[in-house]
């Protein structure tokens, strides 16, 4: 049985909040989730998740917008490839006007598997 990797997310840059992230690669499917306890984003802003690797060089991609739920802010990302080399998780606060533009803005939470 494949183990689910879990990591805690810590607030950075004088923000408050916390969260956890999971990842698993099973039967050819990679699933990554984020659950974050955060205040409402500033007006005109939203929260976005990212997976990051530093090796062999810095690379990252968006895992999408976090949506508000009973559990806080959550996202689920799936892919049909093993993305386990992306071992850092970041949640950013992004400008609504720019949408999911692939450019990370202010880091709010960070963690590593």
């Amino acid at each position: 049985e494949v183990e689910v990797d879990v990591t805690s997310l810590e607030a950075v840059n004088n923000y408050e909040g916390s969260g956890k992230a999971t990842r698993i690669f099973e039967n050819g499917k990679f699933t990554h989730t984020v659950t974050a306890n955060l205040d409402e984003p500033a007006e005109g802003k939203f929260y976005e998740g990212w997976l990051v690797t530093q090796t062999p060089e810095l690379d990252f991609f968006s895992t999408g917008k976090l949506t508000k739920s009973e559990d806080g802010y959550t996202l689920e990302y799936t892919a049909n490839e093993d993305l386990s080399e992306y071992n850092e998780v970041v949640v950013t606060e992004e400008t609504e006007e720019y949408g999911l533009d692939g450019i990370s803005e202010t880091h709010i939470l960070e963690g590593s598997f």
Side-chain angles (χ1 to χ4, degrees), residues 41-46 93-98:
E43 192 171 330
K45 304 278 188 177
F46 67 94
E93 188 177 59
E94 301 285 323
T95 305
E96 200 68 72
E97 180 184 342
Y98 303 135

Side-chain angles (χ1 to χ4, degrees), residues 23 30 51-56 59 61 81-88 113:
R23 69 176 181 181
F30 178 84
L51 282 172
V52 181
T53 183
Q54 303 282 350
T55 47
D59 188 29
F61 65 92
E81 61 183 308
D82 188 358
L83 298 170
S84 299
E85 71 270 20
Y86 290 83
N87 61 345
E88 295 174 38
F113 290 108

Side-chain angles (χ1 to χ4, degrees), residues 62-79:
S62 171
T63 52
K65 192 171 179 175
L66 277 72
T67 54
K68 192 169 187 181
S69 72
E70 291 173 4
D71 299 326
Y73 286 88
T74 60
L75 74 75
E76 180 176 88
Y77 175 85
T78 59

